[in-house]
């Protein structure tokens, strides 16, 4: 009897040890899921999904991925670690009344957003507000109706880390963002002091009453912007494409190719300051107030194949470079 009791105790201790070495219940998964009929108390698995991005992100490991099982509104969220939010199978809606839809703020993080419908309902602040990180990639999405603060934007990309950051916007529609006055509109790129950024906007549409279409602002000291805008339409805003620096500011070098700039009431393409250069090729600039315009020494360079016609004032390029 004594031996049986000793054996039982030994087995119990062994079992307890095994339990002690089991993976903790709170371990984060590399892939999680959300659903309109989910619940944030769930583990965010495919069979027991969460209901919101905020609920799922806390259960997803850095560098992991959140997928949508069905079309739904998944709530505003702040992202502080590398992660991908991919909802190609069903559009991810975020209704952001009086707030930003997504904030990105984490040193060195990379974020991918795909398959979104961001709706500010006329009083949202910004669709995606990027404060810090290494890269932001937005694709296959719509951003609309962010008009609820003094300077709302569809995408506000203003990194502060001197290590620099990259923005990629691919197949995105931005419409009806911004207010009727101030610095506001579709896309703002405004790196902080000493921060270099690279930007690619491709196959996208910035249209329908964004006060500023795409504003690339290197006015902070030591900042730099290297941007390419290709195969896109920037139409029916106040200013279409605006590259800007200022005295004591940084450099903005922008390439515009295979694109349409049309119906912008003030200017189609505008470069301000000697450190702001826009190089244009194979693009149509038409039906704007000013077709192409420079302020205080800005540079507008044509590489050929451009059509600048039927603007109130067509303007002219500051120089032309022959194609090689």
């Amino acid at each position: 009897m004594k031996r049986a009791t000793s054996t039982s105790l030994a087995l119990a201790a062994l079992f307890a040890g095994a339990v002690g070495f089991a993976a903790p219940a709170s371990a984060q998964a590399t892939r999680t899921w959300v659903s309109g009929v989910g619940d944030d108390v769930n583990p965010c698995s495919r069979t027991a999904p969460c209901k919101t991005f905020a609920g799922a992100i806390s259960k997803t490991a850095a560098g992991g991925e959140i997928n949508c099982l069905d079309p739904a509104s998944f709530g505003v969220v702040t992202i502080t670690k590398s992660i991908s939010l991919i909802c190609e199978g069903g559009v991810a809606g975020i209704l952001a009344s009086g707030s930003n839809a997504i904030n990105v703020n984490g040193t060195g993080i990379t974020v991918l957003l795909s398959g979104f419908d961001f709706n500010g309902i006329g009083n949202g602040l910004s669709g995606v507000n990027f404060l810090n990180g290494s890269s932001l990639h937005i694709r296959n999405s719509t951003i609309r109706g962010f008009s609820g603060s003094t300077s709302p934007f569809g995408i506000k990309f203003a990194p502060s880390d001197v290590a620099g950051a990259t923005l990629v916007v691919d197949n995105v529609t931005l419409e009806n963002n911004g207010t009727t006055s101030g610095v506001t509109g579709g896309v703002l790129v405004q790196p902080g002091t000493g921060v270099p950024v690279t930007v690619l906007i491709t196959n996208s549409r910035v249209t329908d009453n964004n006060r500023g279409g795409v504003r690339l602002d290197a006015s902070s000291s030591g900042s730099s912007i290297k941007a390419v805008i290709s195969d896109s339409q920037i139409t029916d805003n106040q200013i279409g494409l605006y590259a800007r620096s200022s005295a004591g500011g940084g450099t903005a070098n922008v390439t515009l190719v295979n694109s349409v700039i049309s119906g912008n009431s003030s200017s189609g393409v505008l470069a301000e300051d000697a450190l702001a250069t826009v190089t244009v090729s194979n693009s149509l600039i038409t039906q704007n107030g000013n077709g192409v315009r420079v302020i205080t020494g800005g540079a507008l360079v044509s590489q050929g194949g451009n059509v600048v016609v039927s603007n109130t004032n067509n303007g002219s390029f500051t120089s032309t470079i022959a194609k090689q």
Side-chain angles (χ1 to χ4, degrees):
M1 178 67 69
K2 186 178 292 185
R3 173 173 291 182
T5 302
S6 299
T7 301
S8 297
L9 291 172
L11 288 172
L14 180 61
F15 179 76
V19 170
F21 283 103
S26 60
Q28 294 180 320
T30 54
R31 184 188 295 272
T32 57
W33 284 265
V34 292
S35 168
V37 295
D39 192 316
D40 284 349
V41 302
N42 289 339
C44 304
S45 64
R46 186 174 180 84
T47 55
C50 285
K51 188 176 182 64
T52 68
F53 286 129
I57 203 167
S58 65
K59 299 173 184 178
T60 308
E65 182 173 312
I66 300 173
N67 295 121
C68 303
L69 288 173
D70 47 50
S73 181
F74 297 115
V76 301
V77 65
T78 294
I79 299 173
T80 58
K81 60 186 175 185
S82 294
I83 202 160
S84 299
L85 277 56
I86 300 179
C87 297
E88 299 290 357
V91 173
I94 295 185
L95 300 178
S97 177
S99 67
N100 300 311
I102 290 184
N103 293 297
V104 179
N105 189 8
T107 301
I109 67 174
T110 62
V111 174
L112 168 64
L113 308 173
S114 186
F116 278 80
D117 180 15
F118 298 97
N119 188 350
I121 325 176
N123 66 352
L125 304 186
S126 288
V128 182
N129 181 37
F130 186 98
L131 297 168
N132 201 12
S134 178
S135 71
L136 171 64
H137 185 169
I138 308 172
R139 70 187 186 196
N140 304 336
S141 298
T142 299
I143 304 174
R144 56 197 171 95
F146 288 88
S147 306
S149 70
T150 56
S151 58
F153 278 88
I155 300 170
K156 190 172 185 179
F157 188 76
S160 57
D161 192 335
V162 294
T166 298
L167 171 66
V168 177
V169 178
D170 181 6
N171 190 30
V172 174
T173 298
L174 297 108
E175 56 187 14
N176 288 304
N177 299 293
T179 57
T180 57
S181 63
V183 179
T184 179
V187 180
L188 172 66
V189 176
Q190 191 173 43
T193 299
V195 178
V197 300
T198 58
V199 178
L200 171 63
I201 300 174
T202 185
N203 187 32
S204 293
R205 298 144 298 280
V206 186
T207 185
D208 196 9
N209 201 33
N210 300 282
R211 174 175 166 81
V214 177
R215 181 184 176 103
L216 304 168
D217 190 339
S219 56
S220 294
S221 175
S223 64
S224 68
I225 298 173
K226 294 181 179 179
V228 175
I229 301 172
S230 71
D231 302 289
S232 296
Q233 297 82 46
I234 304 176
T235 62
D236 300 322
N237 309 289
Q238 184 189 52
I239 299 176
L241 169 60
Y242 183 10
R244 179 177 184 268
S245 184
S246 63
T251 59
N253 290 288
V254 184
T255 298
L256 175 68
V257 60
N258 296 332
S259 295
V260 176
I261 311 294
S262 177
N264 300 287
S265 60
S266 176
S267 295
V269 180
L270 174 62
E272 179 178 358
D273 192 75
L275 296 178
T277 301
V278 181
T279 302
V280 187
S281 63
N282 300 319
S283 292
L284 172 63
I285 302 173
T286 186
Q287 299 180 14
N288 304 284
N290 295 283
V292 293
R293 183 185 179 200
V294 297
I295 300 175
T296 59
L300 287 171
V301 181
S302 173
Q303 285 189 321
N306 299 304
V307 178
V308 182
V309 65
S310 299
N311 301 283
T312 302
N313 172 35
N314 285 329
S316 59
F317 291 98
T318 56
S319 64
T320 298
I321 299 175
K323 290 185 177 181
Q324 300 297 313

